[in-house]
Structure formats: structure tokens, C-alpha cells
Amino acid sequence: MVVAAGLLLTATVAFFALSIPYAVAPSRRLLSLAQLYVALITNCGLFLGLSSLDSRTVSRVFLSIAVLILVVATLEVHFGLRPFVDAIRSLIHQEYYRDTARDLQLYGAVRPTVFASEPSLVGIFWGLSLCGWLLADTDRWGFRRLVVAALLTAAAIFVIRSPTIFYAVAICVIGLIVHGLRRSANPGVRLAKSALLFACFVVTTTSTSLLMHAGDEFGGVIEDIVKGDSFYSRQIGPHRLASSMADTSPFFGFGLGGDAEMAPYVMDAFSPVIENMIAGANAADVDSVPGMAINFSEGKTSHLLTNSFWQFWISFGILGGAVVAALVALALANLGVSEIGFVLLGATLMGQTMGGVVIAPAWTPLFVIAALTIGWTNARPAGTGKSARSASRRPVIG
């Protein structure tokens, strides 16, 4: 871990130093670099804390969190708790989401926030809690847990109404399959596991292009989703900006904190969203729009990126991103994580649901999923006790 952390520090400092001669705002880049290290250190601490606990304890903690979020969300939406939640949110967040008209138009109901700044965060962290419950203690998987998981997920989809939940469900399904395949000593089965992970990576990274093509080909609901501002800002805009990065600065990207450098390309990549944003800047029922408009007018173009996967490559570039990803994988290996491919895939999927590269929440799915797989290393064979499972959760640091 110490060696991997040192390499990561050296690499990112080198990227920062190389970008300084071309940077419009070097101080912003330095601040972004410092924020990145704080995010990594914070999440490493979370990883060590989770991986030191017994698998069943971790599973129960995440189940409790998922149930608590669902209960508060239900009370907020259906039992009049929303004014209290909004009062607390006004104290926590300087600016927060109150676009009820958009919720009604896209989702058919007002979405809960559970004290978060916006509803999508509820779906993200509820989904991550679902992953924690199901993947931390995989040996207890069975028909009863399948039924409970299905009921909880259906309730969350109905109450929370966030498409980000489906990403978490996909991670759970893939994780359970990977866990089952990895226990086989048959080389063919292990090859099938690698092929599955590779195929999932391909589908995930090409999903935007596939959905755009499907929208043009079939129309209907798919076309409505693809042409909506939410999908555009989360998928199409970041994808187009990444294409611009590959054409203009492919090796090291626009750099951390390179808002000024990417601004000319953001105008083209996000033009439909920006036009709608400016057009609705004076709308009385859209309180979040003025803040976005101000951020953009001040040159904070990264605030438009709500996809941390593409933002990672936009910031570091193809070569720089590959180096950083390899060093993160090395760090995970030094921490005792064996299913690195699945962990990176899980982070890629969750990265489609949130923005940011230098903030702690953007790295949380990677380290949480990594911690969940620690117990898989010495999975309990049928008929053995819990002691092996408890010991298997202790990470190897060296």
C-alpha cells in the first residue's frame, strides 16, 4: 500500500507539473490535486474500517442503512415529513434541488431527498447500500434473500424513483455471478468470468452510443429518455466532451481543475443543456438552474459534468488515466483485494450516476465495493464455521 500510494503521489504530481506551463489557473489545479488526495485518504480509511469488520456485520449495517433511507423517503413523500426535511436541508446546503415540476414530468411524482442536496443522491447511496448488504455476505444468498431483495428494490424504485438504482442492481447481479464463478478451480470457468467482466466493460463504455442509436432507430420511450436534459447531461455531454479531449489533448487530458481549458469544448458538447438552462434561468419553479448558470458563467465548467467515469478520462487523458487506473489497481492488490476487475467495473457503473473526480463521494463506490470483496478471498466452503470468514476480512497491508 505504501509503495502504491507513493507511485500514485509521484504520478499525479508529475501530471500537475507537466500541466502548469499550459494552465490558465495553476492555483485551481493545485487545489484540485489537494482535494484528490483528501478524497483518496478519506476513502482508504473507509475501506480499512469496513474490511476490518466481520462480513455479516458489514452486511447488516448496510441493510440497516438501506431500510432507514427507505423509511425516511417514504415518510417524506407520503406522510408529510417533507417540510421538516426541507428545513434541515436549508441549514445543511447553501443551494439545493427543489425542481418538483421536473420530477412530476419525468417520474410522475415528487422524489424524496432524505436531507441530501438532490434526489439522485438518495438513489445512489441506497443502491450502494443494497450492494453492501448483498455482496458483503454472499454465502448467505438464497431464495429468501432473493425475495427480500426484490421487495426492497421494488419499494425503492416506487418511492425513490431514481434510475441510478438499476446500476446498483446490475452490480449486485454481476457480483454474485463473479463470486460463484471464482470458487471454481476449472480454468474454463475462470476464463468465462474474465470474459463476462470484459463484456460488461464494453457494454458500459459503449452504452451511450448504443442508446443514442436505439433512440434514433426505435423512437418512443427510448428516444424521450435520450433526448431529455438529464440523460444528456449525465451521458451524452460527458461522452462528447471526452471525444473532444481525445482529439485535442489525448495523452494527459485537460488536467485536474482544467475548467478554463475545457470551456470552449463544453459549449459544443453541452449546447442543448446550456440553452435550456439559460432559457429557464428565470423560471420561478426551478431553483437549481440559476446556480448552474452562475457556475458556468464563472468558468466552473466541470460543474456540468455529472459522470465521474468520463470526467476521470477527461481530466487525466488516455495515457494519464491508464497510469492512474493501473496504480489504483496496484494499491487495491496491496490491500488484499483479489477481484480487482469486478471492483473497477462496479466503480465504472456507479461512475455513470454521479459527477466529480476530486471529491470523496466520487471514489466511495470503488473503495466500498473493494471492501465488500475482501471476504471473498477465503470464502467459506460448505460446512465450515465463521472463523475463516472473520479472518478473511482482514486486509493485507504492505
Side-chain angles (χ1 to χ4, degrees):
M1 174 60 186
V2 174
V3 174
L7 289 172
L8 183 60
L9 174 65
T10 303
T12 49
V13 168
F15 295 149
F16 171 74
L18 289 171
S19 70
I20 284 297
Y22 313 100
V24 176
S27 60
R28 184 172 177 81
R29 290 182 180 267
L30 181 60
L31 175 62
S32 297
L33 183 66
Q35 289 175 314
L36 174 62
Y37 288 128
V38 171
L40 291 173
I41 292 171
T42 301
N43 282 287
C44 278
L46 176 62
F47 170 88
L48 294 174
L50 289 174
S51 58
S52 66
L53 299 174
D54 177 75
S55 299
R56 187 170 299 182
T57 300
V58 174
S59 180
R60 288 174 175 173
V61 167
F62 277 110
L63 176 60
S64 299
I65 294 173
V67 172
L68 178 62
I69 291 174
L70 192 55
V71 168
V72 175
T74 303
L75 293 174
E76 178 183 347
V77 174
H78 298 289
F79 294 92
L81 195 65
R82 191 174 186 85
F84 172 75
V85 172
D86 284 344
I88 300 298
R89 289 168 66 218
S90 67
L91 298 175
I92 299 174
H93 310 286
Q94 292 182 347
E95 178 182 309
Y96 60 89
Y97 181 97
R98 288 186 292 189
D99 192 359
T100 56
R102 178 178 175 274
D103 285 348
L104 292 170
Q105 179 183 0
L106 294 180
Y107 303 102
V110 176
R111 296 192 294 167
T113 59
V114 193
F115 308 108
S117 58
E118 60 177 277
S120 63
L121 294 175
V122 183
I124 292 169
F125 288 102
W126 188 90
L128 194 59
S129 298
L130 179 72
C131 294
W133 170 47
L134 295 178
L135 298 181
D137 195 12
T138 49
D139 287 336
R140 293 178 61 83
W141 177 256
F143 180 75
R144 185 175 67 176
R145 182 166 284 202
L146 172 63
V147 172
V148 175
L151 292 174
L152 282 175
T153 302
I157 292 172
F158 176 75
V159 176
I160 299 174
R161 295 178 184 262
S162 175
T164 57
I165 294 173
F166 294 105
Y167 287 95
V169 171
I171 293 171
C172 291
V173 172
I174 296 169
L176 292 170
I177 294 173
V178 168
H179 176 263
L181 294 177
R182 77 181 304 277
R183 302 179 72 172
S184 174
N186 189 325
V189 174
R190 293 181 177 270
L191 180 61
K193 183 193 73 173
S194 299
L196 169 66
L197 291 175
F198 179 75
C200 290
F201 268 114
V202 172
V203 170
T204 302
T205 54
T206 60
S207 60
T208 301
S209 299
L210 293 174
L211 284 171
M212 291 170 63
H213 176 73
D216 293 336
E217 186 73 20
F218 302 107
V221 177
I222 298 177
E223 185 179 16
D224 292 339
I225 294 173
V226 170
K227 290 186 176 180
D229 284 355
S230 179
F231 182 86
Y232 195 101
S233 62
R234 289 187 183 275
Q235 302 294 332
I236 300 177
H239 180 268
R240 292 182 63 184
L241 186 56
S243 298
S244 298
M245 176 277 298
D247 291 336
T248 58
S249 183
F251 295 112
F252 297 104
F254 293 120
L256 293 172
D259 292 62
E261 287 75 9
M262 71 173 73
Y265 307 99
V266 168
M267 284 295 296
D268 177 63
F270 287 86
S271 55
V273 175
I274 293 172
E275 290 173 3
N276 292 339
M277 178 183 69
I278 295 174
N282 296 320
D285 61 339
V286 186
D287 295 320
S288 63
V289 168
M292 292 179 64
I294 290 171
N295 286 327
F296 182 73
S297 66
E298 292 178 349
K300 300 176 182 178
T301 53
S302 61
H303 284 68
L304 291 173
L305 286 168
T306 52
N307 187 310
S308 60
F309 170 75
W310 288 117
Q311 190 173 354
F312 174 86
W313 295 102
I314 290 167
S315 299
F316 287 108
I318 298 172
L319 176 59
V323 171
V324 174
L327 291 171
V328 169
L330 177 61
L332 293 175
N334 276 269
L335 286 169
V337 179
S338 59
E339 291 298 333
I340 295 174
F342 168 67
V343 172
L344 294 178
L345 174 63
T348 298
L349 283 166
M350 293 303 292
Q352 310 295 320
T353 69
M354 69 175 78
V357 170
V358 300
I359 59 175
W363 292 89
T364 297
L366 173 75
F367 285 92
V368 168
I369 296 171
L372 300 177
T373 64
I374 284 291
W376 297 4
T377 304
N378 298 312
R380 177 179 59 183
T384 61
K386 294 192 297 182
S387 58
R389 286 180 56 78
S390 298
S392 69
R393 293 204 63 81
R394 301 189 184 98
V396 179
I397 304 174

